Amino acid sequence: MDVHVADHPLIAHKLTYLRDKRTDSPTFRRLAEELMTLLAYEATRDVRVEPFEIETPVAATTGIKLSNPKPLIVPILRAGLGMLEGMVALLPSAEVGFLGMQRNEETLEPVTYANRLPDDLTGRQVFVLDPMLATGGSMADAIKYLVQRGADDITAVCLLAAPEGVEHLRQETESLGVPVKVVLGTIDEKLNEKGYIVPGLGDAGDRLYGVV
């Protein structure tokens, strides 16, 4: 598993305001979208392309276009929805699927409650979006599910992560036999006894949408 932490002052700046408990939901949504676009630039460095013949007003030339099948973007509901527009802004021709996952607050284990994905993902590059990589359980389950459907190249994009979540994801994906990349805005200090990232930014879903 390849882990890339995007080191950029604008990312750190936006993360600071995302963390601030005084930041209201509309501002939080805007910052999450802006931050996602910055991370999407890093996440798509290896997006698959193919040659494309065009004519400029001056001469014929060869450019590139996204290869078929097109990439698939999969936000993990509900918090991943806050990252979707930022990703689609950079990959407007990509397809979008959805996975609904939530964590059992007693066992900390992920539970899948919704699935809107193509049945066959053979040969697809997939970008999975979730604001926080905490225990790593939800992301690991999502990646395994996508691999079972045929995805052969997966990039997870998260605003921030805990070291424990990164290590758990590494252990859970090392035997899958497909490339897995993780793109992060930052890696925080640790998980607390409740499985929340410290210092973190709280419950991303609640802060995005203002409901509990």
Side-chain angles (χ1 to χ4, degrees):
M1 186 178 83
D2 179 25
V3 179
H4 176 73
V5 180
D7 182 18
H8 193 287
L10 284 179
I11 290 175
H13 167 76
K14 293 180 188 301
L15 272 172
T16 298
Y17 284 93
L18 279 172
R19 293 183 191 277
D20 193 336
K21 66 181 183 180
R22 297 169 296 182
T23 299
D24 59 24
S25 288
T27 304
F28 193 95
R29 286 194 295 271
R30 176 177 57 80
L31 288 169
E33 181 178 331
E34 292 172 355
L35 180 53
M36 181 63 232
T37 299
L38 293 172
L39 293 177
Y41 181 80
E42 299 292 337
T44 55
R45 285 187 179 274
D46 297 319
V47 69
R48 293 171 183 166
V49 296
E50 60 188 38
F52 184 52
E53 303 297 326
I54 62 168
E55 288 192 12
T56 77
V58 179
T61 188
T62 302
I64 60 172
K65 65 177 181 177
L66 293 180
S67 298
N68 284 313
K70 292 291 192 296
L72 180 69
I73 302 170
V74 180
I76 296 179
L77 304 178
R78 66 181 165 142
L81 284 176
M83 304 168 68
L84 179 59
E85 289 303 316
M87 188 74 180
V88 171
L90 208 62
L91 279 179
S93 61
E95 295 182 0
V96 178
F98 299 92
L99 266 180
M101 306 186 80
Q102 63 186 18
R103 183 171 61 173
N104 184 304
E105 295 301 329
E106 294 183 0
T107 66
L108 302 184
E109 294 297 318
V111 177
T112 301
Y113 64 86
N115 163 27
R116 293 294 182 271
L117 294 172
D119 291 331
D120 185 7
L121 297 178
T122 301
R124 299 291 289 269
Q125 269 189 307
V126 181
F127 296 88
V128 189
L129 315 181
D130 201 8
M132 295 184 292
L133 184 64
T135 63
S138 294
M139 184 61 75
D141 275 14
I143 290 174
K144 290 176 185 177
Y145 189 76
L146 294 166
V147 171
Q148 289 170 4
R149 291 199 167 199
D152 66 354
D153 189 315
I154 298 175
T155 299
V157 189
C158 306
L159 305 183
L160 51 86
E164 297 92 333
V166 173
E167 184 55 33
H168 178 75
L169 189 61
R170 188 189 306 277
Q171 294 174 5
E172 291 292 306
T173 59
E174 62 183 1
S175 62
L176 292 180
V178 303
V180 175
K181 182 178 181 180
V182 181
V183 175
L184 305 168
T186 190
I187 298 178
D188 273 6
E189 179 184 345
K190 63 179 181 180
L191 290 179
N192 66 15
E193 65 280 0
K194 294 183 178 180
Y196 289 103
I197 300 174
V198 178
L201 48 76
D203 187 304
D206 289 351
R207 298 197 66 194
L208 279 163
Y209 305 115
V211 295
V212 179

